[in-house]
Amino acid sequence: QVHLVESGGGLVQAGGSLRLSCAASGRTFSTYAMGWFRLAPGKEREFVAAINWSGGLTAYADSVKGRFTVSRDNAKNTVYLQMDSLKPEDTAVYYCAADRYYGGRSSSAYSYWGQGAQVTVSS
């Protein structure tokens, strides 16, 4: 069982930066693949980024590639999403997710989910 808690969301102007953190419980965090997804009003949940257990494999949605960076610190049981050059269309609730196996872009591949963190980008 893995319990995930996101933090670091907030309000930022377009062009600004935010870093989301996802703290995980459990001694086996280092063996879990992690993903970030987002849900905007009126839209379906969207893949943002994924990272495998070691951090050696990452994937990004085309909409955030070159602006967002996913990373992890297994010693701190934490995964991060650094978001730069934010745009109003990045406004959403951001969720981290975990699974024993690398799920990549598929939300159905992740077994554990956090409660979400609101990110609002003003124009």
Side-chain angles (χ1 to χ4, degrees):
Q1 193 77 9
V2 177
H3 183 59
L4 305 173
V5 178
E6 299 97 336
S7 62
L11 174 64
V12 64
Q13 288 188 330
S17 298
L18 281 175
R19 188 177 78 159
L20 298 180
S21 299
C22 175
S25 64
R27 292 175 292 177
T28 58
F29 170 78
S30 62
T31 65
Y32 279 73
M34 304 294 294
W36 286 97
F37 293 80
R38 65 188 182 186
L39 182 61
K43 295 185 178 181
E44 295 185 352
R45 183 166 52 189
E46 177 188 20
F47 167 76
V48 176
I51 188 167
N52 75 335
W53 68 273
S54 68
L57 177 63
T58 59
Y60 296 93
D62 288 343
S63 59
V64 306
K65 196 173 296 182
R67 301 187 297 121
F68 290 13
T69 303
V70 61
S71 62
R72 65 189 298 159
D73 185 338
N74 287 340
K76 295 183 178 179
N77 277 17
T78 302
V79 64
Y80 304 98
L81 184 67
Q82 177 66 42
M83 304 184 292
D84 298 318
S85 302
L86 282 161
K87 304 176 181 179
E89 51 263 44
D90 294 319
T91 295
V93 177
Y94 283 71
Y95 298 89
C96 67
D99 198 85
R100 289 295 305 273
Y101 303 99
Y102 181 70
R105 303 168 184 269
S106 174
S107 62
S108 62
Y110 294 87
S111 300
Y112 305 101
W113 292 81
Q115 84 289 349
Q118 177 69 49
V119 171
T120 302
V121 184
S122 63
S123 57

Short mmCIF file of all heavy atoms in Angstrom, two decimals, residues 6-54:
data_model
loop_
_atom_site.label_atom_id
_atom_site.label_comp_id
_atom_site.label_asym_id
_atom_site.label_seq_id
_atom_site.Cartn_x
_atom_site.Cartn_y
_atom_site.Cartn_z
N GLU A 6 0.29 15.24 -2.43
CA GLU A 6 0.88 16.29 -3.26
C GLU A 6 0.94 17.60 -2.48
O GLU A 6 0.11 17.87 -1.62
CB GLU A 6 0.06 16.52 -4.54
CG GLU A 6 -0.06 15.33 -5.45
CD GLU A 6 -1.34 14.56 -5.23
OE1 GLU A 6 -1.91 14.65 -4.13
OE2 GLU A 6 -1.78 13.86 -6.16
N SER A 7 1.91 18.44 -2.85
CA SER A 7 2.02 19.78 -2.29
C SER A 7 2.73 20.67 -3.31
O SER A 7 3.33 20.17 -4.26
CB SER A 7 2.78 19.77 -0.97
OG SER A 7 4.10 19.30 -1.15
N GLY A 8 2.65 21.98 -3.07
CA GLY A 8 3.37 22.91 -3.93
C GLY A 8 2.52 23.63 -4.96
O GLY A 8 3.03 24.44 -5.73
N GLY A 9 1.24 23.31 -5.00
CA GLY A 9 0.38 24.01 -5.94
C GLY A 9 0.14 25.45 -5.52
O GLY A 9 0.55 25.88 -4.44
N GLY A 10 -0.52 26.21 -6.39
CA GLY A 10 -0.83 27.59 -6.06
C GLY A 10 -1.17 28.40 -7.28
O GLY A 10 -1.46 27.85 -8.35
N LEU A 11 -1.15 29.71 -7.11
CA LEU A 11 -1.47 30.66 -8.17
C LEU A 11 -0.19 31.31 -8.66
O LEU A 11 0.62 31.79 -7.85
CB LEU A 11 -2.43 31.73 -7.64
CG LEU A 11 -2.76 32.89 -8.56
CD1 LEU A 11 -3.50 32.41 -9.80
CD2 LEU A 11 -3.58 33.94 -7.81
N VAL A 12 -0.01 31.34 -9.96
CA VAL A 12 1.20 31.93 -10.55
C VAL A 12 0.82 32.63 -11.85
O VAL A 12 -0.16 32.24 -12.51
CB VAL A 12 2.26 30.84 -10.78
CG1 VAL A 12 1.79 29.82 -11.81
CG2 VAL A 12 3.60 31.44 -11.17
N GLN A 13 1.57 33.65 -12.19
CA GLN A 13 1.33 34.34 -13.45
C GLN A 13 1.92 33.54 -14.62
O GLN A 13 2.87 32.78 -14.44
CB GLN A 13 1.95 35.73 -13.42
CG GLN A 13 1.20 36.72 -12.53
CD GLN A 13 1.73 38.13 -12.68
OE1 GLN A 13 2.90 38.34 -12.97
NE2 GLN A 13 0.86 39.11 -12.48
N ALA A 14 1.36 33.76 -15.79
CA ALA A 14 1.89 33.12 -16.98
C ALA A 14 3.37 33.44 -17.13
O ALA A 14 3.80 34.57 -16.90
CB ALA A 14 1.12 33.58 -18.20
N GLY A 15 4.14 32.41 -17.48
CA GLY A 15 5.57 32.56 -17.60
C GLY A 15 6.32 32.20 -16.34
O GLY A 15 7.56 32.08 -16.35
N GLY A 16 5.61 32.03 -15.25
CA GLY A 16 6.23 31.70 -13.97
C GLY A 16 6.48 30.22 -13.81
O GLY A 16 6.26 29.42 -14.74
N SER A 17 6.92 29.86 -12.61
CA SER A 17 7.29 28.48 -12.30
C SER A 17 6.68 28.02 -10.99
O SER A 17 6.43 28.83 -10.09
CB SER A 17 8.82 28.34 -12.20
OG SER A 17 9.45 28.65 -13.42
N LEU A 18 6.45 26.74 -10.91
CA LEU A 18 6.04 26.09 -9.67
C LEU A 18 6.69 24.72 -9.63
O LEU A 18 6.98 24.13 -10.68
CB LEU A 18 4.52 25.90 -9.60
CG LEU A 18 3.63 27.08 -9.21
CD1 LEU A 18 2.16 26.69 -9.34
CD2 LEU A 18 3.94 27.57 -7.81
N ARG A 19 6.92 24.21 -8.41
CA ARG A 19 7.38 22.83 -8.28
C ARG A 19 6.41 22.07 -7.39
O ARG A 19 6.21 22.43 -6.23
CB ARG A 19 8.79 22.76 -7.69
CG ARG A 19 9.35 21.33 -7.73
CD ARG A 19 10.76 21.23 -7.22
NE ARG A 19 10.84 21.25 -5.76
CZ ARG A 19 11.87 20.78 -5.06
NH1 ARG A 19 12.91 20.26 -5.71
NH2 ARG A 19 11.87 20.85 -3.75
N LEU A 20 5.85 21.04 -7.95
CA LEU A 20 4.99 20.15 -7.19
C LEU A 20 5.82 19.03 -6.59
O LEU A 20 6.77 18.54 -7.21
CB LEU A 20 3.90 19.54 -8.08
CG LEU A 20 2.92 20.52 -8.72
CD1 LEU A 20 1.90 19.74 -9.57
CD2 LEU A 20 2.21 21.35 -7.68
N SER A 21 5.45 18.64 -5.39
CA SER A 21 6.07 17.49 -4.73
C SER A 21 5.00 16.46 -4.43
O SER A 21 3.84 16.80 -4.19
CB SER A 21 6.73 17.92 -3.42
OG SER A 21 7.75 18.88 -3.63
N CYS A 22 5.40 15.22 -4.44
CA CYS A 22 4.50 14.12 -4.09
C CYS A 22 5.26 13.23 -3.12
O CYS A 22 6.20 12.54 -3.51
CB CYS A 22 4.09 13.36 -5.34
SG CYS A 22 3.09 11.88 -5.01
N ALA A 23 4.86 13.29 -1.87
CA ALA A 23 5.49 12.48 -0.83
C ALA A 23 4.76 11.16 -0.69
O ALA A 23 3.52 11.13 -0.60
CB ALA A 23 5.49 13.24 0.49
N ALA A 24 5.52 10.09 -0.64
CA ALA A 24 4.93 8.75 -0.58
C ALA A 24 5.29 8.06 0.73
O ALA A 24 6.41 8.21 1.23
CB ALA A 24 5.41 7.92 -1.75
N SER A 25 4.34 7.32 1.25
CA SER A 25 4.62 6.50 2.42
C SER A 25 5.13 5.15 1.96
O SER A 25 5.02 4.79 0.79
CB SER A 25 3.34 6.32 3.24
OG SER A 25 2.38 5.60 2.46
N GLY A 26 5.67 4.40 2.87
CA GLY A 26 6.07 3.05 2.53
C GLY A 26 7.55 2.92 2.23
O GLY A 26 8.16 3.81 1.64
N ARG A 27 8.11 1.79 2.65
CA ARG A 27 9.54 1.58 2.49
C ARG A 27 9.91 1.11 1.09
O ARG A 27 11.08 1.03 0.76
CB ARG A 27 10.02 0.54 3.50
CG ARG A 27 9.96 1.02 4.94
CD ARG A 27 10.32 -0.09 5.90
NE ARG A 27 9.30 -1.14 5.92
CZ ARG A 27 9.41 -2.25 6.64
NH1 ARG A 27 10.48 -2.46 7.37
NH2 ARG A 27 8.45 -3.15 6.62
N THR A 28 8.90 0.82 0.26
CA THR A 28 9.19 0.29 -1.07
C THR A 28 9.01 1.34 -2.16
O THR A 28 8.92 1.00 -3.33
CB THR A 28 8.27 -0.90 -1.38
OG1 THR A 28 6.91 -0.47 -1.27
CG2 THR A 28 8.53 -2.04 -0.41
N PHE A 29 8.99 2.62 -1.77
CA PHE A 29 8.78 3.69 -2.75
C PHE A 29 9.77 3.59 -3.89
O PHE A 29 9.44 3.82 -5.05
CB PHE A 29 8.90 5.05 -2.07
CG PHE A 29 8.92 6.20 -3.05
CD1 PHE A 29 7.76 6.64 -3.65
CD2 PHE A 29 10.12 6.83 -3.38
CE1 PHE A 29 7.76 7.70 -4.55
CE2 PHE A 29 10.14 7.89 -4.28
CZ PHE A 29 8.97 8.31 -4.86
N SER A 30 11.00 3.25 -3.58
CA SER A 30 12.05 3.25 -4.60
C SER A 30 11.81 2.21 -5.69
O SER A 30 12.46 2.25 -6.73
CB SER A 30 13.42 3.01 -3.96
OG SER A 30 13.45 1.75 -3.32
N THR A 31 10.89 1.29 -5.46
CA THR A 31 10.59 0.27 -6.47
C THR A 31 9.39 0.64 -7.34
O THR A 31 9.05 -0.08 -8.26
CB THR A 31 10.31 -1.08 -5.80
OG1 THR A 31 9.11 -0.98 -5.02
CG2 THR A 31 11.47 -1.49 -4.91
N TYR A 32 8.74 1.77 -7.03
CA TYR A 32 7.52 2.15 -7.73
C TYR A 32 7.78 3.13 -8.86
O TYR A 32 8.58 4.06 -8.73
CB TYR A 32 6.52 2.80 -6.75
CG TYR A 32 5.75 1.79 -5.95
CD1 TYR A 32 6.35 1.06 -4.93
CD2 TYR A 32 4.40 1.55 -6.23
CE1 TYR A 32 5.64 0.13 -4.21
CE2 TYR A 32 3.68 0.62 -5.51
CZ TYR A 32 4.31 -0.09 -4.50
OH TYR A 32 3.59 -1.01 -3.79
N ALA A 33 7.09 2.93 -9.97
CA ALA A 33 7.05 3.92 -11.02
C ALA A 33 6.01 4.98 -10.64
O ALA A 33 5.03 4.69 -9.95
CB ALA A 33 6.65 3.28 -12.35
N MET A 34 6.23 6.21 -11.08
CA MET A 34 5.37 7.32 -10.70
C MET A 34 4.90 8.07 -11.94
O MET A 34 5.61 8.14 -12.94
CB MET A 34 6.12 8.30 -9.80
CG MET A 34 6.70 7.68 -8.54
SD MET A 34 5.45 7.08 -7.40
CE MET A 34 4.67 8.62 -6.93
N GLY A 35 3.72 8.64 -11.82
CA GLY A 35 3.19 9.43 -12.92
C GLY A 35 2.52 10.70 -12.41
O GLY A 35 2.13 10.77 -11.24
N TRP A 36 2.45 11.69 -13.27
CA TRP A 36 1.71 12.92 -12.98
C TRP A 36 0.61 13.06 -14.04
O TRP A 36 0.87 12.91 -15.24
CB TRP A 36 2.61 14.15 -13.04
CG TRP A 36 3.53 14.31 -11.87
CD1 TRP A 36 4.84 13.93 -11.79
CD2 TRP A 36 3.22 14.90 -10.60
NE1 TRP A 36 5.36 14.25 -10.56
CE2 TRP A 36 4.38 14.85 -9.81
CE3 TRP A 36 2.07 15.48 -10.05
CZ2 TRP A 36 4.44 15.34 -8.50
CZ3 TRP A 36 2.13 15.98 -8.76
CH2 TRP A 36 3.29 15.90 -8.00
N PHE A 37 -0.58 13.38 -13.57
CA PHE A 37 -1.72 13.61 -14.45
C PHE A 37 -2.39 14.92 -14.01
O PHE A 37 -2.15 15.40 -12.92
CB PHE A 37 -2.72 12.45 -14.35
CG PHE A 37 -2.18 11.16 -14.89
CD1 PHE A 37 -1.34 10.36 -14.13
CD2 PHE A 37 -2.51 10.72 -16.17
CE1 PHE A 37 -0.81 9.17 -14.63
CE2 PHE A 37 -2.00 9.53 -16.68
CZ PHE A 37 -1.15 8.77 -15.90
N ARG A 38 -3.24 15.46 -14.88
CA ARG A 38 -3.96 16.66 -14.49
C ARG A 38 -5.39 16.62 -15.00
O ARG A 38 -5.68 15.96 -16.01
CB ARG A 38 -3.24 17.92 -15.00
CG ARG A 38 -3.16 18.06 -16.51
CD ARG A 38 -2.26 19.25 -16.87
NE ARG A 38 -2.19 19.45 -18.32
CZ ARG A 38 -1.39 20.33 -18.90
NH1 ARG A 38 -0.58 21.09 -18.16
NH2 ARG A 38 -1.38 20.46 -20.21
N LEU A 39 -6.24 17.34 -14.30
CA LEU A 39 -7.65 17.39 -14.64
C LEU A 39 -8.10 18.84 -14.61
O LEU A 39 -8.07 19.48 -13.55
CB LEU A 39 -8.47 16.55 -13.65
CG LEU A 39 -9.97 16.47 -13.93
CD1 LEU A 39 -10.24 15.82 -15.27
CD2 LEU A 39 -10.65 15.68 -12.81
N ALA A 40 -8.48 19.34 -15.77
CA ALA A 40 -8.98 20.70 -15.89
C ALA A 40 -10.50 20.67 -16.01
O ALA A 40 -11.06 19.69 -16.51
CB ALA A 40 -8.36 21.39 -17.11
N PRO A 41 -11.17 21.74 -15.59
CA PRO A 41 -12.64 21.78 -15.68
C PRO A 41 -13.12 21.54 -17.10
O PRO A 41 -12.62 22.15 -18.05
CB PRO A 41 -12.97 23.20 -15.21
CG PRO A 41 -11.84 23.58 -14.33
CD PRO A 41 -10.63 22.95 -14.95
N GLY A 42 -14.07 20.63 -17.23
CA GLY A 42 -14.65 20.35 -18.54
C GLY A 42 -13.81 19.49 -19.44
O GLY A 42 -14.17 19.26 -20.59
N LYS A 43 -12.68 19.00 -18.92
CA LYS A 43 -11.80 18.17 -19.74
C LYS A 43 -11.58 16.81 -19.09
O LYS A 43 -11.84 16.63 -17.90
CB LYS A 43 -10.45 18.87 -19.95
CG LYS A 43 -10.54 20.16 -20.74
CD LYS A 43 -9.16 20.73 -21.01
CE LYS A 43 -9.23 22.00 -21.84
NZ LYS A 43 -7.87 22.55 -22.12
N GLU A 44 -11.07 15.89 -19.87
CA GLU A 44 -10.74 14.57 -19.34
C GLU A 44 -9.36 14.62 -18.67
O GLU A 44 -8.54 15.49 -18.96
CB GLU A 44 -10.75 13.53 -20.45
CG GLU A 44 -12.12 13.31 -21.06
CD GLU A 44 -12.13 12.18 -22.07
OE1 GLU A 44 -11.05 11.67 -22.40
OE2 GLU A 44 -13.22 11.81 -22.52
N ARG A 45 -9.14 13.65 -17.79
CA ARG A 45 -7.83 13.57 -17.14
C ARG A 45 -6.76 13.36 -18.20
O ARG A 45 -6.91 12.55 -19.11
CB ARG A 45 -7.82 12.42 -16.14
CG ARG A 45 -6.53 12.30 -15.35
CD ARG A 45 -6.70 11.39 -14.16
NE ARG A 45 -7.27 10.11 -14.53
CZ ARG A 45 -7.68 9.20 -13.65
NH1 ARG A 45 -7.60 9.47 -12.35
NH2 ARG A 45 -8.18 8.06 -14.05
N GLU A 46 -5.65 14.07 -18.03
CA GLU A 46 -4.61 14.12 -19.05
C GLU A 46 -3.26 13.70 -18.46
O GLU A 46 -2.89 14.15 -17.37
CB GLU A 46 -4.51 15.55 -19.60
CG GLU A 46 -3.42 15.78 -20.61
CD GLU A 46 -3.25 17.25 -20.98
OE1 GLU A 46 -3.69 18.11 -20.20
OE2 GLU A 46 -2.67 17.53 -22.04
N PHE A 47 -2.56 12.86 -19.18
CA PHE A 47 -1.19 12.49 -18.79
C PHE A 47 -0.28 13.71 -18.89
O PHE A 47 -0.37 14.49 -19.84
CB PHE A 47 -0.69 11.38 -19.70
CG PHE A 47 0.79 11.14 -19.61
CD1 PHE A 47 1.32 10.46 -18.53
CD2 PHE A 47 1.64 11.59 -20.60
CE1 PHE A 47 2.68 10.24 -18.44
CE2 PHE A 47 2.99 11.37 -20.53
CZ PHE A 47 3.52 10.69 -19.45
N VAL A 48 0.61 13.85 -17.91
CA VAL A 48 1.57 14.95 -17.92
C VAL A 48 3.00 14.41 -18.03
O VAL A 48 3.75 14.78 -18.93
CB VAL A 48 1.44 15.82 -16.65
CG1 VAL A 48 2.52 16.89 -16.62
CG2 VAL A 48 0.05 16.44 -16.57
N ALA A 49 3.39 13.53 -17.10
CA ALA A 49 4.76 13.02 -17.09
C ALA A 49 4.80 11.71 -16.31
O ALA A 49 3.94 11.43 -15.49
CB ALA A 49 5.71 14.04 -16.47
N ALA A 50 5.82 10.92 -16.59
CA ALA A 50 6.03 9.66 -15.88
C ALA A 50 7.51 9.43 -15.68
O ALA A 50 8.35 9.94 -16.44
CB ALA A 50 5.41 8.51 -16.65
N ILE A 51 7.84 8.65 -14.65
CA ILE A 51 9.23 8.34 -14.35
C ILE A 51 9.29 6.93 -13.78
O ILE A 51 8.42 6.53 -13.00
CB ILE A 51 9.81 9.38 -13.37
CG1 ILE A 51 11.31 9.19 -13.18
CG2 ILE A 51 9.07 9.36 -12.03
CD1 ILE A 51 11.98 10.38 -12.47
N ASN A 52 10.30 6.17 -14.18
CA ASN A 52 10.40 4.82 -13.68
C ASN A 52 11.07 4.81 -12.30
O ASN A 52 11.42 5.85 -11.74
CB ASN A 52 11.13 3.91 -14.67
CG ASN A 52 12.64 4.15 -14.70
OD1 ASN A 52 13.09 5.24 -14.35
ND2 ASN A 52 13.38 3.15 -15.09
N TRP A 53 11.29 3.62 -11.75
CA TRP A 53 11.74 3.51 -10.36
C TRP A 53 13.10 4.16 -10.12
O TRP A 53 13.35 4.74 -9.07
CB TRP A 53 11.78 2.05 -9.95
CG TRP A 53 12.85 1.27 -10.66
CD1 TRP A 53 12.76 0.65 -11.87
CD2 TRP A 53 14.19 1.05 -10.21
NE1 TRP A 53 13.96 0.08 -12.21
CE2 TRP A 53 14.85 0.30 -11.21
CE3 TRP A 53 14.90 1.43 -9.07
CZ2 TRP A 53 16.18 -0.09 -11.08
CZ3 TRP A 53 16.23 1.04 -8.93
CH2 TRP A 53 16.85 0.30 -9.95
N SER A 54 13.95 4.11 -11.12
CA SER A 54 15.31 4.64 -10.92
C SER A 54 15.46 6.09 -11.36
O SER A 54 16.46 6.74 -11.04
CB SER A 54 16.30 3.78 -11.70
OG SER A 54 16.11 3.95 -13.09
#
